[in-house]
Amino acid sequence: MQLYTDAATEPTTDHSAAGLLLINAGQQQQFKQILPDCDNHTAEFLAAIAGFKEILTQFGPAQTVFFYTDSKIVAESVSKGYSKNFNVELQTLLQLQDQCTVAITQWIPESQNRGAHELAQQGLHLTP
């Protein structure tokens, strides 16, 4: 299964939203949700967390997940297993990934993450 996540943050208000694109057995599911007000880096971690929670809720832990993010800080933090500024979010994400049979994280350029990006932008317009 493939998971694409992205976050959008309104810079003046820190209003944030997540876009999740999940592809499983050729079926695509799209999700957008409001996140707590935060900076964009935190929102990127929260979007990834939301994506893995969605997978575990819908499909259970016995999954092989290819996780794609255009956030270098998320991808690098997962790779290193360390983040100085986002350690709480990283540890939550790693615990969720550990519940999957295999979780492979890969950074992709924003141009290859348009689906999740558009969903995150739409999420900014949801009302809480």
Side-chain angles (χ1 to χ4, degrees), residues 5 13-14 33 39 41 46-47 58 67 69 71 76 78-81 83 88 92 100 102 106 113-114 123 125:
T5 69
T13 62
D14 281 344
Q33 69 181 60
D39 65 84
H41 291 310
L46 295 177
Q58 277 197 48
F67 166 50
T69 178
S71 169
E76 289 173 2
V78 168
S79 174
K80 293 180 203 172
S83 174
V88 171
T92 301
C100 298
V102 176
Q106 183 175 338
N113 203 24
R114 298 301 303 164
H125 302 291

Side-chain angles (χ1 to χ4, degrees), residues 64-99:
T64 297
V65 180
F66 293 90
F67 166 50
Y68 300 99
T69 178
D70 61 14
S71 169
K72 286 187 178 182
I73 193 160
V74 169
E76 289 173 2
S77 296
V78 168
S79 174
K80 293 180 203 172
Y82 172 79
S83 174
K84 179 179 178 183
N85 297 316
F86 305 99
N87 195 51
V88 171
E89 295 83 1
L90 174 62
Q91 293 309 314
T92 301
L93 177 57
L94 292 174
Q95 288 172 354
L96 292 167
Q97 286 186 339
D98 285 348
Q99 294 178 50

Side-chain angles (χ1 to χ4, degrees), residues 19-32:
L20 315 171
L21 183 61
L22 180 59
I23 303 169
N24 184 38
Q27 299 293 319
Q28 180 175 296
Q29 292 180 283
Q30 300 177 354
F31 303 92
K32 52 191 169 219

